[in-house]
Amino acid sequence: MNYECKLCPRECGADRTKEKGFCGAGDKAVVARASLHKWEEPCISYKNGAGTVFFSGCNLHCCFCQNNKISNELFGKEISDEELGDIFLRLQDMGADNIDLVTPTHFIPNIINALDMVKSNLSVPVVYNCGGYESVETLKMLDGYIDIYLPDMKYFSSEISAKYSNAPDYFEKASAAVLAMIKQTGELKFNDEGGLLKGTVIRHMVLPSHRHDSMEIIRWIAENTAPKNVLVSIMNQYTPFEFISDKYPELKRRVTKMEYNSVVNLAAELGINGFTQQKSSASQEYVPDFDLSGI
């Protein structure tokens, strides 16, 4: 089959049966780790942990990515759609609170195929954990497959998104995608243990030197979403890894308490519900070992 890939806003047009796309992916799913992960938001990892499946490659390639080994260096193992479905069931058997698909955008056809194979035996929610740079048209393919959307909203400024992710249209695409996600999932629904069964959780990681950009995102969320439909996770885990280029000296430090609190305080003032993080979360210890565990 020949096709021009237009799954994400890059619309790079690669025939991924023959070449890699901008994301670094061909037509087979590539996975770096599948395991229980207890460090997602409390409503996502509420009991035994999320059943995370870390896909390799990414349509953003952010210069500071904490998962750099898989997103930019493309470490991982190629697997069939049947094997992917088996991984979902194995995680469920381990007691996973959900199936947490991490950076899944470029493998949506494979994921849908795998879910079709196992959906009759899958009883936990499916989480779409993405960078936010999504196509509304592609999200329509996921309607009925995804129970929980967990998108990032990384940037408001096109200048900043162009600088760090080569995506000047990031906010335009991410904001439209988030609204489409909310339309699909509707009101937040929880089980008796506080676990999220259906809904959208927006993540935003505060970057050093960019608190005003973060505050613009918080204002947009407050003006365009309703607390009954959305939770917001304001992340304090930015870590200045050694691989970050010297071209970005402003990214060579952690976020200050003032920077983070100014964003959190604004969210509280605007009536946004959700989660915050301790400063201790800004550590390499919280980055999973991408060692092909569970593959």
Side-chain angles (χ1 to χ4, degrees), residues 9-25:
R10 299 280 183 195
E11 296 190 348
C12 70
D15 179 351
R16 287 171 48 195
T17 64
K18 300 176 180 178
E19 60 183 328
K20 306 291 187 183
F22 178 93
C23 56

Side-chain angles (χ1 to χ4, degrees), residues 2 6 9 14 49 62 79 83 101 134 161 179 195 217 223 231 249 260 273 294:
N2 295 325
K6 296 184 178 180
C62 303
I79 61 173
E83 289 172 316
L101 309 170
E134 304 290 324
S161 62
L179 294 179
I217 289 173
E223 292 170 2
L231 293 170
Y260 182 71
N273 295 326

Side-chain angles (χ1 to χ4, degrees), residues 95-112:
D97 299 331
N98 44 59
I99 304 302
D100 184 12
L101 309 170
V102 185
T103 323
T105 309
H106 42 297
F107 294 125
I108 284 176
N110 310 85
I111 290 166
I112 288 175

Side-chain angles (χ1 to χ4, degrees), residues 10 22 59-63 133 155 158 160-170:
R10 299 280 183 195
F22 178 93
N59 67 349
L60 280 173
H61 297 305
C62 303
C63 64
Y133 196 50
Y155 317 103
S158 60
I160 297 171
S161 62
K163 183 178 182 181
Y164 296 151
S165 300
N166 192 28
D169 60 346
Y170 177 87

Side-chain angles (χ1 to χ4, degrees), residues 61 84 119 124 137 139 176 179 188 222 239 256 259 279:
H61 297 305
L84 183 58
K119 61 184 177 184
V124 296
E137 287 302 310
L139 291 174
L179 294 179
L188 298 162
T239 305
T256 67
E259 287 173 323
K279 191 172 180 63

Side-chain angles (χ1 to χ4, degrees), residues 206-211 235-236 238 250 253-264 277 279 282:
V206 181
L207 295 176
S209 306
H210 294 304
R211 68 187 180 95
M235 306 173 80
N236 194 21
Y238 176 79
E250 71 278 13
R253 65 169 176 85
R254 300 194 192 288
V255 172
T256 67
K257 184 176 181 179
M258 182 278 292
E259 287 173 323
Y260 182 71
N261 286 347
S262 65
V263 180
V264 170
Q277 284 185 322
K279 191 172 180 63

